[in-house]
Amino acid sequence: SVPFLVRLFPSVLTKFVYLNFLAFPFFVDFRRPELLVNNTISLHLTTEPGVTVGIWHTVPGSRAAEARGQDQRWYEEALADAHPVIIYLHGNGGTR
């Protein structure tokens, strides 16, 4: 019966294979990364009309003292300086 159900409902198979409906660790608010990771802020970029991508910007530990207590504007300006940017694509889990 399982192959029959998979054929009828392929989206169900996708959910069970990738388990992207689970957020781990449990009971953590991923919208507030500063509570989880030091020197991190959550930003949203509009890539094209109607498409917004959520990102976490984390500055390196060497700039930790400088980043402490800064607002979103400081983090946005830090993205524009001469330091390299590393982009980490987290996968299909739906959380950062």
Side-chain angles (χ1 to χ4, degrees):
S1 67
V2 172
F4 179 71
L5 291 173
V6 169
R7 180 73 174 139
L8 284 177
F9 308 104
S11 62
V12 172
L13 176 66
T14 303
K15 296 282 186 203
F16 285 108
V17 169
Y18 296 112
L19 297 176
N20 56 2
F21 56 90
L22 293 177
F24 185 80
F26 303 113
F27 310 112
V28 174
D29 185 6
F30 288 104
R31 295 170 297 194
R32 308 259 336 262
E34 63 274 8
L35 301 176
L36 302 168
V37 183
N38 292 333
N39 315 321
T40 302
I41 192 169
S42 183
L43 302 171
H44 292 88
L45 302 176
T46 302
T47 58
E48 60 185 60
V51 178
T52 302
V53 178
I55 65 167
W56 283 0
H57 178 213
T58 303
V59 296
S62 61
R63 297 183 73 183
E66 184 183 357
R68 192 167 294 121
Q70 297 292 343
D71 61 354
Q72 180 176 337
R73 188 172 140 219
W74 182 90
Y75 281 87
E76 290 172 354
E77 290 173 359
L79 280 172
D81 65 12
H83 293 88
V85 174
I86 298 171
I87 298 174
Y88 172 73
L89 303 172
H90 59 78
N92 64 347
T95 62
R96 287 170 255 154

